[in-house]
Amino acid sequence: MSTHMNSHIPLGNLLSLIQKRFLKTSSTTLPPNASSSFTVQYLVNSCGLPQQSALSVSKKFQIDENNTQKPQSVIQFLKSYDFQDAHVAKLIEKWPAVLRSRTEGNLKPKFDFFITNGFVGQLLPQLAVLDPRIFRTSLDAHIKPCFELLKRFLKSNENILTALSRAPFLMSFSFNATVRPNLDLLKKQGVTVDRVAKLLMSQPRSLQHSNERMVYAVSYLKQLGIEPDKRMYLHALTVFARMNESAWRKKIDMFKSVGWTEEEFFWTFKRFPCLLLSSEEKIRSMMDFFLNKMKLERKTIIANPALLKYSFGNRILPRCNVLKVLKSKKLIKGDTNIATFLKLSEKDFMERCVTKYEDKVPGLLEIYGGIDKGKGW
């Protein structure tokens, strides 16, 4: 009777009914796909996964209701290594097959290696959740050599974790194919260990480019006269390496279309390479604002490329609003180099242009704070 009735229940209502049943910890009658239903119930009740995540995992991973000893032993093993419930749930969500892993012969040696190397307390669970693929690789053939190479540059386990949090691939499958050759390349070019460490910490994804692309980028920078010992070398390398030939040419043409010569483009790239990461829309709108609204000379903008990189809404416009008011009241000279004020630190700009004149210009702080943003230009 109940089977006949369920066949007429709308699909949405039936799914809702099934989900409610899964949330009960007591034994209930399972829907037609018993294996999938039990898996969802187990993932929710025993592993702590959210209902929706459990449903998603169950589509590609099944748990035998007659053999829960294995997954239960894995969960107990993880908790013995200080994995909290949230860690366990997230790890299983990312790597369901961990519930079938051999704990003593596979996971334990790898966990112990990291603990021996300082990944104590919550560091090990954080690493496992960050990229479970690390623990699917060989301890001797992959994990140990990768770890030793990273530590040679990064020195501390905390630094390694910071780098991995930004780019888990540093210690997973692509390490030997991309990261190691690129690190060797930088070393061969004479880039010092401490500078490579900064790159690993701040922009680790730059090492994910193919070695062929990195070799080409190194060669191209040499042609431009940007040597490895220059302060901007790594910045220029990471910017250029992420663009293909077409994108690079398009970037040059775009700057030329807003009034730069090719020589000025390359001069800027050498001094301030990260400007090239800005979108075409931003470059065009900023050039238009500075040239047509602020009446800055083109050479002033080119001499100060950082102006085009700053946030328009949070920095450029509020400061220009303040400077406009100060000029109108003749509190600063009309021929003052605006670029100088735009490049000041927040603290210095506040002291020199806002608090200094608050008594003479009522509401100046509010203007800078954004109440009048967008007015007057």
Side-chain angles (χ1 to χ4, degrees):
M1 180 67 177
S2 63
T3 304
H4 175 73
M5 290 178 64
N6 283 345
S7 65
H8 297 286
I9 298 175
L11 181 59
N13 293 345
L14 181 59
L15 180 58
S16 176
L17 177 62
I18 291 172
Q19 291 176 345
K20 288 178 180 177
R21 287 178 179 174
F22 286 164
L23 291 174
K24 297 178 181 179
T25 56
S26 59
S27 178
T28 59
T29 302
L30 296 174
N33 190 348
S35 176
S36 176
S37 300
F38 176 79
T39 297
V40 173
Q41 189 175 21
Y42 187 88
L43 291 173
V44 171
N45 296 332
S46 299
C47 304
L49 270 70
Q51 185 77 20
Q52 207 56 40
S53 296
L55 284 166
S56 178
V57 169
S58 70
K59 294 177 182 178
K60 54 191 174 185
F61 182 82
Q62 298 293 312
I63 297 173
D64 184 358
E65 63 179 305
N66 297 314
N67 183 20
T68 60
Q69 184 178 354
K70 180 63 176 177
Q72 199 59 42
S73 69
V74 172
I75 293 173
Q76 291 173 353
F77 170 81
L78 293 173
K79 290 187 175 182
S80 73
Y81 277 86
D82 290 331
F83 279 65
Q84 304 300 314
D85 291 342
H87 293 132
V88 173
K90 182 58 71 173
L91 179 62
I92 295 171
E93 194 175 328
K94 287 188 171 184
W95 182 25
V98 69
L99 293 174
R100 293 179 184 151
S101 295
R102 292 179 296 112
T103 53
E104 292 300 315
N106 185 9
L107 293 179
K108 188 178 188 303
K110 297 171 184 177
F111 281 15
D112 289 345
F113 170 79
F114 281 102
I115 289 174
T116 300
N117 283 279
F119 279 73
V120 295
Q122 295 298 292
L123 289 180
L124 178 63
Q126 287 173 22
L127 180 64
V129 168
L130 194 62
D131 190 357
R133 293 177 302 171
I134 294 171
F135 297 94
R136 292 162 58 184
T137 59
S138 166
L139 175 61
D140 292 322
H142 187 91
I143 293 177
K144 287 183 178 179
C146 289
F147 187 89
E148 292 306 319
L149 184 60
L150 287 177
K151 194 158 189 177
R152 196 168 79 214
F153 290 101
L154 298 176
K155 308 301 180 185
S156 74
N157 299 317
E158 287 75 14
N159 286 344
I160 292 177
L161 187 62
T162 297
L164 290 175
S165 67
R166 293 176 177 170
F169 72 84
L170 284 174
M171 208 165 180
S172 54
F173 291 123
S174 62
F175 186 90
N176 285 320
T178 57
V179 179
R180 183 186 293 275
N182 289 337
L183 288 174
D184 290 341
L185 173 65
L186 293 177
K187 182 180 177 182
K188 184 178 178 181
Q189 295 301 312
V191 181
T192 59
V193 170
D194 63 318
R195 293 179 69 206
V196 174
K198 288 180 180 178
L199 182 65
L200 281 166
M201 293 284 288
S202 62
Q203 300 182 63
R205 290 192 177 279
S206 61
L207 295 167
Q208 197 176 16
H209 301 298
S210 70
N211 186 245
E212 181 182 6
R213 180 62 188 168
M214 290 291 278
V215 169
Y216 177 74
V218 165
S219 174
Y220 189 80
L221 294 190
K222 280 186 177 179
Q223 293 178 32
L224 295 180
I226 307 176
E227 297 297 331
D229 61 345
K230 300 297 183 182
R231 187 171 64 90
M232 284 294 163
Y233 179 79
L234 289 179
H235 295 290
L237 181 66
T238 57
V239 168
F240 181 76
R242 66 190 293 173
M243 298 186 198
N244 58 30
E245 301 269 349
S246 174
W248 182 251
R249 188 67 244 177
K250 185 178 178 182
K251 191 71 71 171
I252 295 174
D253 291 341
M254 187 273 292
F255 272 89
K256 289 171 71 175
S257 73
V258 292
W260 300 47
T261 66
E262 197 157 312
E263 291 74 20
E264 289 167 340
F265 170 85
F266 285 112
W267 181 82
T268 298
F269 175 62
K270 293 177 184 180
R271 291 186 62 223
F272 197 64
C274 66
L275 175 61
L276 273 64
L277 299 179
S278 297
S279 68
E280 178 177 345
E281 181 183 6
K282 178 169 183 178
I283 296 296
R284 290 189 182 282
S285 63
M286 295 291 270
M287 285 293 293
D288 177 67
F289 178 79
F290 286 128
L291 289 173
N292 299 319
K293 298 295 194 303
M294 297 303 298
K295 305 302 180 183
L296 287 184
E297 293 186 7
R298 190 182 66 86
K299 64 180 182 180
T300 300
I301 302 172
I302 294 173
N304 299 276
L307 296 180
L308 301 177
K309 189 70 175 173
Y310 293 142
S311 167
F312 181 73
N314 294 327
R315 184 181 188 121
I316 299 299
L317 187 56
R319 293 192 181 192
C320 286
N321 282 334
V322 168
L323 294 172
K324 180 185 178 184
V325 171
L326 296 182
K327 276 190 174 184
S328 70
K329 296 186 177 298
K330 301 189 182 326
L331 294 173
I332 58 174
K333 295 180 180 179
D335 60 351
T336 299
N337 186 351
I338 291 178
T340 302
F341 290 105
L342 296 180
K343 293 194 298 181
L344 290 175
S345 68
E346 179 67 16
K347 179 176 178 292
D348 288 344
F349 185 83
M350 278 292 295
E351 290 178 353
R352 292 176 58 177
C353 300
V354 181
T355 55
K356 179 179 179 180
Y357 300 109
E358 270 190 288
D359 293 339
K360 298 179 180 178
V361 185
L364 188 60
L365 182 59
E366 285 73 17
I367 292 174
Y368 185 56
I371 290 178
D372 291 333
K373 269 183 187 176
K375 295 182 180 179
W377 298 108

